Amino acid sequence: MNPNIPDLQNIIETEKKMFGKYLVPVAILLIIIGIFGILSPIILSAVTDGIIAAMLIIAGFTWIAHSIQMHQHQMADWLKPLLLFITGGIMIALPKAGIAAIGLMFVLYFIIDAYRNFTQMKIYPGHGRGWSIFSGIIDIFIALLFVVTWPRGSLILVGIFVGVNLIFDGIILLMLRNVKPG
């Protein structure tokens, strides 16, 4: 693991180049969708479920194309796209189950993020130690919130957390436009 802290200026310039002249419209769009998600979390949860399902189905088609191109004829080569299709199809046919599964993925994410925050202090001693501990505690709290309210709570919590994340991403992009190279 590289113990060096990444150069913030390079990260900012990369983000600015990636979005180019669309940085502000993308930022505003993310904030608007995020606000909508907080006001209508069940709808944003369903949209999130649909997007993930679509990605799984597209990945299934991509894997089939790969298998055909590579002249794969074994049953094992066709199980992966079948699994992708079935998983995406279930998420579309049973959106509540898909959203509940996304809620469990959030639990796993927040537990891993808490672990990273608590171990981060050993890698970067003196760099925001208090904030790392605070963030780890919040991660555990959020993971417990998902676990205690699962599966019903996922219908609302997924939309709220995706919405909040989109708002913060939009705000960060707006802040990047004011950063001067230096």
Side-chain angles (χ1 to χ4, degrees), residues 4-103:
N4 297 327
I5 297 174
D7 180 22
L8 183 60
Q9 198 59 42
N10 287 337
I11 294 171
I12 292 170
E13 287 306 312
T14 302
E15 291 291 319
K16 281 181 161 183
K17 287 177 187 173
M18 186 170 75
F19 289 107
K21 65 182 179 180
Y22 300 108
L23 188 129
V24 172
V26 167
I28 292 171
L29 181 64
L30 290 175
I31 292 169
I32 290 170
I33 294 171
I35 291 170
F36 172 78
I38 290 173
L39 297 175
S40 302
I42 294 174
I43 293 173
L44 188 57
S45 293
V47 169
T48 303
D49 176 68
I51 290 171
I52 293 172
M55 289 177 5
L56 290 170
I57 291 169
I58 290 169
F61 280 117
T62 303
W63 198 262
I64 284 177
H66 170 73
S67 293
I68 291 170
Q69 185 179 20
M70 299 303 290
H71 303 290
Q72 302 292 334
H73 300 293
Q74 297 176 1
M75 178 63 114
D77 297 316
W78 298 97
L79 288 177
K80 187 171 190 168
L82 180 64
L83 180 61
L84 291 167
F85 286 135
I86 290 172
T87 306
I90 289 171
M91 290 180 76
I92 291 172
L94 303 169
K96 286 183 181 178
I99 294 167
I102 295 168

Side-chain angles (χ1 to χ4, degrees), residues 1-6 119-129:
M1 178 178 272
N2 185 358
N4 297 327
I5 297 174
T119 59
Q120 192 81 2
M121 298 175 296
K122 295 176 186 172
I123 298 169
Y124 304 118
H127 288 82
R129 181 182 182 106

